[in-house]
């Protein structure tokens, strides 16, 4: 089976010629590994014994009550290193080994991908360098410390918005310069082919497990899947196994300060263009200059999105919503109080969507929960007209892509003001 | 894709071809590269005139882009400064148009600037401004020839950018790198309608101490596949390096070192003096062999 390079018109390999042979090599190495039982067995073993798969599908009863539907959380936050990123990384790190590469590089925003790569490199004895924008180094400091402890070199990137986009530029430049012995482990379903298809395949274990779990427990398919979308890997990971089934799929982008202000919602507000090697929706000005994204969550603070999402949007197979910083922070607090689960700020966007009333972001009244110091009272305040988004017997699955340890400092400051 | 688009009446880039056939320093064409509109538009005009006076056979102008993944710090910085100063593709077209009678122009643009402008419109405007060829570092051959439809840029990309460019009379310059396989060099050679841009190093742009060791092998392999002129860029910083490359190739592209000299110089006069000096010395070194 071939590895897709286009999704409708989207995708492709818009990178310097220097990298094309490396992408060809990667495509064929991945194609072979994917069909190789030994590689798959080793990956399955690591996912189970090392990373902690399968992850539970948890019935969040108090959250369900609030939403007026049955809400199940796919607990990727319980994985080793704290997010779904490890699924992809173990697959790519094993591939790097198989290809005889001795050095692995990565870009990271929230630091979850960087930590996962540093972890896999420690495990498999590979040299590791992680590029991270200086703004993210600041707001995800805990993960910087983790990466360094794991033996990785963290390279702060001081250009543009000093976030994920700029980190990925630098990682690509590193790869162009060291392509012979270096494996570039991209952290989402973005970048040039074969990354979008490869990363999706490696994350698809999320949805494959979910189908089996929901069928066993409820004897039926869910009505809707919900996941946050930065580059889009946790969303595609959940969606992929359901793509031919009658299940609604909703991706949630970062509306940041609002869709008329600074945000990270290229599917809602961008136009197709090329960034980081693929053609997809992109936040850009009239001249095609890439605009700086904004989100309270470092992992969603990205002006592009994986090309398969662009195609899922155009074809209507998936729908996309956007959630503001305020809503995400309120959802962060709410899930913590309702369920005793502190979500990553990225995942809090997906939670905010199910907590929201039926009206869309633009029309939603400003949430009273984040008015300064009252914001931590996540257990009591209503999130808009309640109960009408879902039918009472709906089963909704939210991908809880990561845990919030990395965010507690930032979130506490934003919710409560400086101590 | 119509047949006519692929076989334009006249060969592309006639002035560029002549520049490679009869370079002023005899052994190879000297091709300075500047970011268009950097450090400011007026200085850019003066710099272009200076480069021509100093012996440039061709001038390559960069269209500044926000995320130039093939460029090192020097070119990145110049692009960001130019963008902050409001430079657009239109600014760069106007620069070329103003000096087109004196020298043939090559434009370097990242593909998104072209897509946002509209491919067909971009090529037409380039041709009108006297630009004979385009270098697009993030558009490898396969994508240049790919037919991509849909997504709102369909009119521009249907039939492939290669076809659209030649229909407008503009040559798309294929790039070859030390990592290119022989199969890819064969594709590169076959796609050359003006010259081939040979990347001297496995890396991004930026001044370097040494010309890459991989270069002679790359040029030798590429010669087996094409008779088109081969111009070499990425890292050529000194007159000595220029002379060395002129012994191997048909064109020498000096970019980062020139932009760096301009950026370090004090004021407009200083920038022109520094740029003129570097290009003159490179030309002399090339001529001396
Ligand atoms: C927990 C978590 N969720 C989601 C994301 C966003 O990435 P993607 O859209 O690829 O899942 C990140 C990225 O850093 C993350 O750390």
């Amino acid at each position: 089976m071939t590895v897709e390079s286009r999704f409708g018109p989207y995708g492709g390999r818009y990178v310097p010629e220097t990298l094309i042979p490396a992408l060809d090599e990667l495509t064929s190495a991945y194609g072979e590994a994917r069909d190789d039982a030994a590689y798959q067995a080793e990956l399955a073993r690591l996912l189970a014994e090392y990373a902690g798969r399968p992850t539970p599908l948890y019935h969040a009863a108090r959250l369900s009550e609030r939403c007026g539907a049955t809400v199940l959380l796919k607990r990727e936050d319980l994985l080793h290193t704290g997010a779904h990123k490890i699924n992809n990384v173990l697959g790519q790190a094993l591939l790097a080994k198989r290809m005889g590469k001795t050095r692995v590089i990565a870009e990271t925003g929230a630091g979850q991908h960087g930590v996962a790569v540093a972890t896999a490199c420690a495990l498999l004895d590979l040299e590791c360098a992680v590029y991270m924008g200086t703004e993210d180094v600041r707001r995800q400091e805990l993960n910087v410390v983790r990466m360094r402890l794991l033996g990785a070199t963290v390279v702060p990137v001081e250009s543009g918005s000093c976030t994920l986009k700029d980190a990925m530029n630098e990682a690509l430049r590193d790869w162009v310069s060291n392509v012979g012995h270096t494996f570039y482990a991209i952290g989402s379903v973005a970048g040039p082919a074969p990354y979008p298809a490869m990363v999706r395949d490696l994350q698809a274990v999320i949805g494959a497990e979910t189908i089996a779990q929901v069928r066993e427990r409820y004897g039926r398919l869910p009505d809707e899947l919900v996941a946050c979308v930065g580059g889009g890997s946790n969303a595609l990971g959940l969606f992929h196994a359901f793509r031919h089934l009658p299940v609604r799929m909703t991706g949630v982008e970062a509306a940041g300060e609002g869709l008329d202000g600074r945000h990270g919602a290229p599917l809602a507000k961008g136009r197709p263009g090329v960034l980081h090697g693929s053609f997809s929706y992109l936040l850009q000005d009239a001249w095609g200059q890439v605009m700086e994204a904004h989100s309270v969550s470092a992992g969603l603070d990205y002006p592009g999105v994986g090309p398969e999402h662009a195609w899922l949007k155009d074809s209507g197979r998936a729908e996309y919503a956007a959630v503001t910083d305020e809503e995400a922070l309120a959802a962060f607090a709410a899930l913590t109080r309702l369920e005793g689960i502190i979500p990553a700020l990225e995942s809090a966007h997906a939670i905010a969507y199910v907590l929201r009333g039926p009206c869309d972001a633009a029309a939603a009244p400003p949430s009273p929960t984040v008015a300064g110091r009252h914001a931590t009272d996540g257990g009591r305040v209503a999130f808009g007209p309640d109960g009408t988004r879902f039918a009472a017997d709906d089963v909704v699955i939210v991908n809880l892509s990561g845990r919030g340890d990395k965010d507690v400092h930032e979130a506490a400051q934003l919710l409560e003001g400086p101590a | 894709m119509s047949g006519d688009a692929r076989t334009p009446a006249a060969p592309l880039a006639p002035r560029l071809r002549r520049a490679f056939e009869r370079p002023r320093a005899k052994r190879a064409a000297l091709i300075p590269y500047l970011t268009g509109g950097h450090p400011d538009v007026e200085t850019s005009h003066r710099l272009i005139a200076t480069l021509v006076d100093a012996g440039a056979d061709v001038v390559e102008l960069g269209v500044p882009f926000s995320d130039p993944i093939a460029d090192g710090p020097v070119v990145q910085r110049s692009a960001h400064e130019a963008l902050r100063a409001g430079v657009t593709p239109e600014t760069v077209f106007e620069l070329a148009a103003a000096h087109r009678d004196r020298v043939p122009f090559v434009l370097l643009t990242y593909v998104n600037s072209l897509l946002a402008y509209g491919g067909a419109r971009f090529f037409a405007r380039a041709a009108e401004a006297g630009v004979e060829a385009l270098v697009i570092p993030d558009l490898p051959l396969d994508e240049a020839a790919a037919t991509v439809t849909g997504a709102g840029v369909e009119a521009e990309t249907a039939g492939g950018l290669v076809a659209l460019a030649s229909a407008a009379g503009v040559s798309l310059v294929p790039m070859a790198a030390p990592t290119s396989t022989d199969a890819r060099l064969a594709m590169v050679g076959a796609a050359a309608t003006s010259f081939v841009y040979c990347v001297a190093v496995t890396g991004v742009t930026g001044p370097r101490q040494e010309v890459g060791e991989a270069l002679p092998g790359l040029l030798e392999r590429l010669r087996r596949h094409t008779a088109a002129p081969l111009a070499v860029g990425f890292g050529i910083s000194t007159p000595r390096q220029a002379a060395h490359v002129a012994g191997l190739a048909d064109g020498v592209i000096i970019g980062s070192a020139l932009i760096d000299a301009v950026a370090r110089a004090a004021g407009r006069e200083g920038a022109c003096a520094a740029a003129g000096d570097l290009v003159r010395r490179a030309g002399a070194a090339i001529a001396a062999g």
Side-chain angles (χ1 to χ4, degrees):
Chain A
M1 232 177 30
T2 58
V3 183
E4 304 123 283
S5 67
R6 292 269 178 190
F7 307 90
Y10 301 108
R13 303 194 297 182
Y14 297 89
V15 293
E17 171 66 24
T18 302
L19 291 180
I20 295 292
L23 291 172
D24 283 341
E25 182 195 4
L26 177 61
T27 305
S28 64
Y30 171 62
E32 281 164 25
R34 192 187 48 188
D35 301 335
D36 176 11
Y39 169 86
Q40 291 295 352
E42 178 62 1
L43 179 56
R45 185 185 72 80
L46 285 179
L47 286 173
E49 294 176 12
Y50 185 73
R53 301 213 73 90
T55 57
L57 186 65
Y58 165 68
H59 175 212
R62 296 187 67 207
L63 178 66
S64 297
E65 195 182 324
R66 176 73 77 77
C67 297
T70 298
V71 179
L72 309 175
L73 303 180
K74 183 59 174 164
R75 297 291 308 273
E76 297 298 295
D77 61 315
L78 294 177
L79 286 171
H80 182 41
T81 69
H84 70 292
K85 300 285 179 186
I86 193 78
N87 301 324
N88 165 44
V89 165
L90 288 172
Q92 289 199 51
L94 284 179
L95 192 57
K97 267 291 205 213
R98 203 180 147 98
M99 292 170 73
K101 306 288 180 184
T102 55
R103 176 173 180 263
V104 176
I105 58 169
E107 82 294 337
T108 198
Q112 290 302 117
H113 176 59
V115 167
V117 172
T119 298
C121 285
L123 176 71
L124 299 175
D125 193 21
L126 292 159
E127 186 189 339
C128 178
V130 179
Y131 289 88
M132 189 171 191
T134 50
E135 167 63 8
D136 294 337
V137 167
R138 181 193 68 74
R139 60 181 163 172
Q140 307 280 228
E141 189 192 346
L142 176 67
N143 279 341
V144 176
V145 176
R146 292 167 83 194
M147 287 185 272
R148 292 196 169 131
L149 283 172
L150 288 159
T153 305
V154 178
V155 188
V157 177
E158 178 94 62
S159 69
S161 47
C162 306
T163 59
L164 183 54
K165 169 187 83 118
D166 313 286
M168 194 152 173
N169 285 337
E170 273 314 295
L172 279 164
R173 291 184 187 114
D174 179 317
W175 202 33
V176 169
S177 307
N178 300 293
V179 63
H181 68 299
T182 295
F183 186 101
Y184 181 16
I186 293 183
S188 192
V189 287
Y195 287 98
M198 177 173 72
V199 175
R200 176 205 63 206
D201 292 352
L202 292 170
Q203 291 290 4
V205 63
I206 301 173
E209 277 175 14
T210 303
I211 285 201
Q213 289 167 321
V214 72
R215 279 203 165 122
E216 185 189 299
R217 190 109 46 92
Y218 296 88
R220 69 174 184 96
L221 290 169
D223 297 284
E224 184 166 353
L225 307 173
V226 180
C228 68
V229 175
S233 68
N234 87 85
L236 279 187
L238 177 62
F239 295 172
H240 192 62
F242 291 90
R243 67 197 181 284
H244 300 307
L245 300 171
V247 176
R248 293 198 302 276
M249 309 195 303
T250 304
V252 183
E253 293 188 292
E257 296 167 348
L259 288 180
D260 297 326
R262 299 188 308 148
H263 57 78
L267 290 166
K269 288 289 189 175
R271 285 180 291 119
V274 170
L275 176 67
H276 297 150
S278 67
F279 181 56
S280 184
Y281 279 81
L282 179 61
L283 298 179
Q284 55 182 320
D285 71 12
W287 295 105
Q289 306 298 347
V290 180
M291 287 168 19
E292 291 180 8
H294 165 79
S295 170
V296 68
S297 119
L300 306 185
D301 198 343
Y302 184 62
V305 63
E308 189 166 357
H309 283 291
W311 183 231
L312 288 174
K313 172 189 156 80
D314 281 11
S315 64
R317 178 62 190 92
E319 286 181 49
Y320 294 87
V323 154
T324 64
D325 287 351
E326 273 199 354
E327 289 175 287
L329 281 164
F332 175 92
L335 191 72
T336 301
R337 291 296 182 90
L338 286 172
E339 298 289 346
I341 296 172
I342 303 179
L345 279 175
E346 291 78 17
S347 321
H349 284 70
I351 300 294
Y353 171 83
V354 295
L355 280 169
R356 190 192 264 173
C359 45
D360 68 27
S367 164
T369 55
V370 287
R373 292 172 181 279
H374 310 294
T376 47
D377 193 4
R380 266 181 292 275
V381 188
F383 284 84
D386 53 311
T388 40
R389 169 178 286 280
F390 304 108
D393 59 353
D394 270 3
V395 172
V396 179
I397 295 177
V398 179
N399 197 359
L400 200 67
S401 57
R403 60 179 176 245
D405 307 29
K406 68 186 178 63
D407 295 315
V408 291
H409 189 69
E410 181 86 354
Q413 282 209 339
L414 290 167
L415 286 164
E416 296 165 18
Chain B
M1 182 185 307
S2 82
D4 319 12
R6 281 231 150 169
T7 48
L12 298 173
R15 295 177 66 203
L16 264 177
R17 286 165 181 280
R18 252 176 280 134
F20 280 108
E21 278 160 21
R22 290 194 294 279
R24 293 161 72 183
K26 305 287 188 251
R27 295 165 62 233
L30 181 53
I31 311 176
Y33 171 88
L34 288 173
T35 296
H38 176 260
D40 59 76
V41 176
E42 181 50 35
T43 307
S44 226
H45 277 290
R46 298 274 299 279
L47 282 168
I48 293 169
T50 304
L51 299 177
V52 178
D53 292 341
D57 295 288
V58 176
V59 171
E60 184 179 355
L61 288 180
V63 175
F65 180 57
S66 54
D67 296 82
I69 55 171
D71 286 304
V74 173
V75 179
Q76 280 175 49
R77 207 174 309 122
S78 69
H80 288 145
E81 284 170 15
L83 287 175
R84 259 199 306 279
V87 172
T88 69
E90 212 55 67
T91 319
V92 185
F93 290 137
E94 283 163 15
L95 281 167
H99 302 271
R100 59 177 299 173
D101 293 339
R102 295 202 64 203
V103 70
F105 280 95
V106 173
L107 234 62
L108 181 142
T109 180
Y110 283 83
V111 69
N112 202 52
S113 302
L114 183 142
L115 293 177
Y117 197 96
R121 260 187 78 216
F122 193 100
F123 295 135
R125 181 73 183 95
E128 184 189 74
V131 172
E132 291 199 329
L134 292 179
V135 176
I136 311 179
D138 57 349
L139 186 74
L141 275 179
D142 339 56
E143 301 301 352
T147 299
V148 176
T149 50
V153 289
E154 77 304 312
E156 275 71 42
T157 49
L161 292 171
V162 171
L164 279 183
S166 31
V170 175
S171 166
L172 283 195
V173 178
M175 299 183 86
T179 54
S180 302
T181 57
D182 285 322
R184 287 199 67 82
L185 292 183
M187 282 171 65
V188 166
T193 48
S194 53
F195 68 100
V196 177
Y197 193 123
C198 302
V199 177
V201 293
T202 302
V204 295
T205 60
R208 283 185 175 74
Q209 297 296 324
E210 299 299 329
V211 173
E213 342 171 325
L215 182 64
L218 169 64
L219 296 174
E220 197 184 300
R221 289 192 296 138
L222 188 52
R223 293 267 191 224
R224 285 184 224 137
H225 299 288
T226 182
L230 310 183
V232 175
F234 282 44
I236 300 165
S237 322
T238 63
R240 186 181 58 79
Q241 291 171 341
H244 170 67
V245 170
L248 304 166
D250 310 296
V252 181
I253 302 163
I254 302 182
S256 297
L258 186 62
I259 292 172
D260 200 36
V262 166
R264 284 170 192 279
R268 194 167 285 158
E269 300 307 325
C272 289
D277 179 59
L278 178 57
V279 170
R280 238 184 319 274
R281 287 190 295 120
I286 290 173

